[in-house]
């Protein structure tokens, strides 16, 4: 019986060793199999077996928890960004999964970024999934960026050139990026003079000036220390990462959204996917203000009185019920791409 007692005690100590330090379980061993006589052997054996079973379950649970736990993600360390001004944004962007480096371990932060590359970065960061047919003469379904350009066109970020080209390998300029970014952010209630006080403001193309002022006022694309904007300068990879990361970090991004209450205002959001006006709004009014919908506004409510839009951008407005007499009110700054 004494031999059995010692074996049971040793088993218990092995189990305890997993969760206790050596000094502690050594003391337990001395207490159990030391020189002191045990008067009630049966009671001790029962207690030891019960305790051993309990500890085994705890150890098993601890091991399973350790196996199931997801390891913490660590930032990559590119060999050429150690002292670069964009280092923290590059590492954060890598952790979010919308950029990667080169096979030689570099990031090349000062290299120009192409239109196809910027399209891909922005799509991945905001998680664009919708696509639209494209027929650009210089984009083939064999190109690595084919699906990304389909997504960018569907989201309204890019539209191509008048001669039906996209020019995917061209470096994207700062004024072009301003135009693209302005389509991915909320733009209502913005105050400021924009880039108008910069020395080279008059060199910005007319089609880009409104967008340049918008992104300048929101702080996404500012001027250089010499008070210039350099609108025709190619954007660098470091600049692209900073701009996109700050959009993701600062905009209120929703992934699909359902409006279910009437006479309330849904405002200040970027909706990735569709914004749905559901039947639960009844026969009240729906107000949508300062919202970018990277998809469609879908009105399935059968009896809604009106949908009032202010500072809204969307791809389409779709009224699902043919018999729905819904009134759509367009206030200031409403852009529906396919209206």
């Amino acid at each position: 019986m004494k031999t059995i007692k010692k074996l049971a005690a040793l088993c218990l100590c092995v189990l305890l060793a997993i969760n206790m330090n050596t000094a502690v379980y050594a003391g337990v061993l001395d207490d159990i199999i030391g020189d002191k006589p045990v008067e009630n052997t049966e009671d001790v054996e029962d207690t030891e077996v019960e305790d051993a079973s309990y500890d085994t379950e705890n150890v098993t649970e601890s091991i399973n928890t350790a196996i199931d736990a997801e390891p913490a993600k660590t930032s990559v360390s590119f060999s050429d960004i150690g002292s670069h001004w964009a280092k923290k944004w590059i590492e954060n962007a890598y952790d979010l999964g919308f950029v990667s480096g080169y096979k030689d371990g570099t990031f090349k932060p000062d290299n120009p970024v192409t239109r196809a590359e910027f399209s891909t970065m922005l799509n991945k960061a905001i998680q664009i999934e919708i696509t639209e047919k494209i027929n650009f003469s210089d984009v083939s379904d064999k190109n690595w960026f084919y699906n990304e350009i389909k997504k960018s066109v569907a989201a309204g970020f890019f539209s191509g050139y008048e001669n039906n080209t996209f020019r995917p390998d061209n470096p994207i300029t700062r004024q072009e990026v301003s135009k693209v970014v302005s389509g991915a952010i909320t733009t209502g209630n913005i105050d400021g003079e924009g880039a108008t006080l910069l020395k080279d403001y008059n060199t910005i193309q007319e089609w880009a000036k409104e967008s340049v002022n918008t992104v300048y006022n929101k702080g996404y694309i500012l001027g250089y220390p010499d008070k210039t904007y350099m609108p025709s300068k190619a954007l660098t990879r470091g600049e692209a990462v900073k701009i996109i990361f700050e959009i993701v970090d600062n905009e209120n991004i929703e992934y699909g959204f359902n409006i279910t209450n009437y006479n309330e205002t849904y405002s200040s959001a970027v909706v990735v996917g569709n914004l749905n006006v559901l039947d639960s709004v009844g026969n009240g009014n729906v107000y949508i203000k300062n919202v970018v919908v990277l998809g469609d506004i879908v009105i399935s409510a059968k009896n809604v009185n009106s949908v009032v839009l202010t500072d809204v951008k969307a791809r389409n407005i779709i009224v699902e019920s043919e018999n729905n007499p819904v009134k759509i009110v367009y206030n200031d700054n409403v852009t529906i791409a396919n209206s």
Side-chain angles (χ1 to χ4, degrees):
M1 183 64 69
K2 186 174 181 180
T3 300
I4 294 173
K5 171 179 173 294
K6 287 184 177 181
L7 288 174
L10 285 170
C11 290
L12 173 60
C13 290
V14 169
L15 292 169
L16 288 172
I18 296 175
N19 290 321
M20 300 173 62
N21 61 43
T22 304
V24 173
Y25 85 79
V28 174
L29 180 61
D30 288 341
D31 288 342
I32 296 176
I33 62 172
D35 295 333
K36 295 180 181 179
V38 178
E39 295 181 0
N40 192 338
T41 305
E42 294 297 325
D43 289 344
V44 172
E45 287 175 349
D46 290 343
T47 301
E48 289 171 353
V49 172
E50 181 180 344
D51 287 345
S53 174
Y54 175 79
D55 284 341
T56 301
E57 291 175 0
N58 285 345
V59 170
T60 303
E61 182 178 355
S62 298
I63 293 172
N64 288 339
T65 301
I67 292 172
D68 293 339
E70 184 177 348
K73 192 169 186 178
T74 57
S75 294
V76 69
S77 180
F78 295 111
S79 62
D80 57 346
I81 65 170
S83 59
H84 197 273
W85 65 265
K87 180 178 186 292
K88 71 173 183 179
W89 286 287
I90 293 169
E91 291 178 338
N92 288 338
Y94 179 85
D95 285 347
L96 288 179
F98 69 85
V99 295
S100 59
Y102 294 90
K103 291 181 180 180
D104 62 358
T106 62
F107 186 80
K108 299 182 171 64
D110 296 319
N111 276 18
V113 62
T114 68
R115 286 167 55 83
E117 288 170 338
F118 190 83
S119 170
T120 301
M121 289 182 187
L122 187 59
N123 289 342
K124 287 185 176 180
I126 302 181
Q127 300 177 39
I128 300 296
E129 296 297 335
I130 58 173
T131 61
E132 192 166 304
K133 289 183 179 180
I134 56 175
N135 61 350
F136 299 115
S137 61
D138 55 350
V139 176
S140 163
D141 59 5
K142 295 180 175 59
N143 296 131
W144 66 265
F145 46 74
Y146 179 70
N147 284 330
E148 297 301 332
I149 292 177
K150 288 174 65 177
K151 292 177 183 179
S152 287
V153 170
F157 299 152
F158 286 88
S159 59
Y161 294 91
E162 292 180 354
N163 63 352
N164 197 38
T165 60
F166 188 85
R167 304 175 195 175
D169 297 321
N170 280 16
I172 192 167
T173 66
R174 285 168 55 82
Q175 62 186 350
E176 287 176 329
V177 168
S178 298
K179 183 72 171 178
V180 172
V181 167
S182 68
I185 60 175
T186 55
T187 57
N189 303 319
I190 300 176
D191 296 322
E193 296 176 297
T196 58
L197 299 181
L198 296 180
K199 292 188 295 186
D200 59 348
Y201 181 75
N202 289 333
T203 66
I204 299 171
Q205 297 291 316
E206 286 299 322
W207 56 263
K209 281 185 176 178
E210 182 179 353
S211 298
V212 167
N213 290 331
T214 295
V215 298
Y216 188 96
N217 284 335
K218 292 206 73 169
Y220 292 136
I221 307 177
L222 300 175
Y224 289 100
D226 64 354
K227 305 297 183 184
T228 62
Y229 196 80
M230 299 187 188
S232 298
K233 179 180 178 291
L235 195 76
T236 67
R237 284 169 56 82
E239 289 172 329
V241 165
K242 177 182 181 293
I243 292 166
I244 295 173
F245 180 82
E246 292 200 339
I247 290 172
V248 174
D249 197 41
N250 290 290
E251 295 293 322
N252 175 27
I253 300 177
E254 302 273 4
Y255 292 92
F257 193 86
N258 297 328
I259 297 177
T260 58
N261 297 323
Y262 64 90
N263 293 342
E264 291 185 358
T265 300
Y266 177 66
S267 65
S268 303
V270 175
V271 179
V272 179
N274 291 342
L275 177 60
N276 303 298
V277 181
L278 301 185
D279 205 38
S280 57
V281 300
N283 59 0
N285 300 309
V286 171
Y287 300 91
I288 304 173
K289 183 177 182 180
N290 192 27
V291 172
V292 177
V293 183
L294 303 177
D296 302 326
I297 298 174
V298 181
I299 304 171
S300 59
K302 298 181 180 64
N303 300 307
V304 61
N305 181 44
S306 67
V307 176
V308 182
L309 309 177
T310 307
D311 290 318
V312 171
K313 288 178 283 189
R315 183 173 63 167
N316 295 303
I317 295 181
I318 300 172
V319 179
E320 290 193 330
S321 175
E322 295 181 358
N323 299 321
N324 188 356
V326 59
K327 179 181 179 182
I328 301 175
V329 180
Y330 294 80
N331 284 340
D332 297 334
N333 302 320
V334 176
T335 303
I336 308 300
N338 297 330
S339 61

